[in-house]
Amino acid sequence: MTSAKVNPGGYMPPKPRIDAFGAISLTGFAVLLAFNQVVIKVVNEGLQPVFFAGLRSLGGAILIFGWMRLRGIALTLPRNTLVPGILMGGLFALEFVCLFWALDLTTVTRTSVIFYTMPMWMALGAHFFIPGDRLTTAKSAGLALAFAGVVIALTLRGEGGEASLLGDLLALAGAMGWAGLALMARGTALRDVRPEVQLLWQLTISAPLLLLAALFFGPLLRDPEFIHWAGLGFQTVIIVSAGFLFWPWLLSIYPPSSVAAFSFLTPVFGVLLGWLMLGDEVGLGILIALALVCSGLILINKPKRASG
């Protein structure tokens, strides 16, 4: 997902703080992202994960292209965005190779805690690569807490159940890839490009990369049934097309720091849905890790106090 400050809808003026609509929308979006991981886990049973990710990108690119044409949004790109756009597409592909493969190897609960440490890596990268976005005392404390949560999640693995170390490490790599995408959206010429165009870059370039990479990850089909194709459709239409556009639209209306403050909800809902819907084991270790990661995200996204 990107963070360009553009209002795709163009019909709701910016607001200085989160209102009831914003709170409901952000909470609902957190639930959607958490449910998204459950869907990926289920669809992986019928489709090879990397092939699934490639089909999702291909379908999403077609839908976003059609939506942009329908709304008359220009598809032209400034020349100075070509290289970062291609790199962004490659990073997008890498992120979802890691995430989809992680969910094939480990649980939704563990993936939710580890993958949604993305703001931690984003804050760390911004300190070095984004001028004026330095680590504050609160952010540094948040980084320490979130990092401690990751260490606990990786080391206290519980007994029984599905808790692959490789899967956990892939989720961590996916979080870093996601943070890299956000840094590119803010720190390159892409920051002046509409979110729809950024997303189309990511989907169009990642689709062939993922479909080609899928050839090296085993059989493309795993005896798929209707539920698996339905999950692919849900991913393509609701998550990639609608969801990935809804996020920058919210950022265009509400202060980014206030929007980001809701990020801690997604791993909470992810653990809850993994336990309720898939019967994931939720031991003391993962609960401690969740608490540390959420506390860290709250500190990392804490708005700066106005001076004066």
Side-chain angles (χ1 to χ4, degrees):
M1 288 182 290
T2 59
S3 58
K5 191 71 171 180
V6 180
N7 191 333
Y11 56 84
M12 186 176 288
K15 300 183 179 182
R17 61 183 62 86
I18 300 292
D19 54 14
F21 173 79
I24 293 172
S25 297
L26 289 165
T27 302
F29 191 69
V31 175
L32 180 66
L33 289 181
F35 181 64
N36 171 49
Q37 296 206 358
V38 174
V39 174
I40 294 173
K41 183 74 173 178
V42 171
V43 176
N44 279 351
E45 297 173 358
L47 300 175
Q48 184 228 86
V50 180
F51 181 58
F52 170 24
L55 291 178
R56 187 183 79 152
S57 283
L58 178 61
I62 294 171
L63 289 176
I64 295 297
F65 175 79
W67 186 82
M68 291 174 65
R69 291 298 299 269
L70 184 65
R71 295 184 59 86
I73 299 173
L75 299 176
T76 56
L77 287 169
R79 185 173 298 178
N80 63 343
T81 64
L82 180 61
V83 172
I86 292 173
L87 292 175
M88 176 179 272
L91 198 55
F92 185 89
L94 179 62
E95 174 194 347
F96 285 102
V97 165
C98 292
L99 176 61
F100 279 52
W101 192 12
L103 285 164
D104 200 45
L105 296 174
T106 193
T107 63
V108 167
T109 57
R110 301 184 66 82
T111 302
S112 294
V113 172
I114 297 171
F115 183 69
Y116 286 103
T117 59
M118 174 275 200
M120 161 186 159
W121 307 110
M122 172 69 179
L124 187 61
H127 176 78
F128 294 102
F129 300 111
I130 305 296
D133 197 349
R134 310 288 291 178
L135 287 174
T136 62
T137 302
K139 283 186 178 182
S140 299
L143 281 172
L145 287 174
F147 185 76
V150 171
V151 171
I152 289 174
L154 292 175
T155 55
L156 299 183
R157 317 197 53 76
E159 297 181 0
E162 185 182 16
S164 160
L165 177 59
L166 176 58
D168 291 352
L169 292 175
L170 284 167
L172 186 61
M176 294 177 179
W178 183 9
L181 277 176
L183 289 171
M184 288 194 67
R186 288 182 53 188
T188 70
L190 289 168
R191 61 181 171 272
D192 299 320
V193 174
R194 292 182 64 106
E196 302 96 325
V197 179
Q198 290 189 29
L199 180 57
L200 187 60
W201 262 114
Q202 294 172 31
L203 295 172
T204 302
I205 293 172
S206 67
L209 292 177
L210 289 166
L211 292 173
L212 180 63
L215 300 176
F216 301 93
F217 285 82
L220 303 182
L221 301 178
R222 299 174 170 179
D223 195 21
E225 300 178 0
F226 173 77
I227 189 174
H228 303 123
W229 297 117
L232 173 61
F234 172 84
Q235 282 279 323
T236 302
V237 176
I238 303 300
I239 300 298
V240 171
S241 301
F244 284 8
L245 287 178
F246 185 62
W247 177 256
W249 181 73
L250 287 173
L251 282 172
S252 73
I253 297 170
Y254 300 104
S257 59
S258 299
V259 172
F262 281 75
S263 62
F264 79 94
L265 290 176
T266 303
V268 173
F269 287 130
V271 170
L272 180 62
L273 292 180
W275 173 64
L276 286 175
M277 302 183 73
L278 299 177
D280 286 355
E281 178 187 2
V282 182
L284 180 60
I286 203 67
L287 290 177
I288 294 174
L290 176 64
L292 288 171
V293 167
C294 290
S295 299
L297 295 184
I298 291 171
L299 287 174
I300 289 170
N301 293 308
K302 185 178 179 180
K304 295 180 181 178
R305 290 185 179 181
S307 59

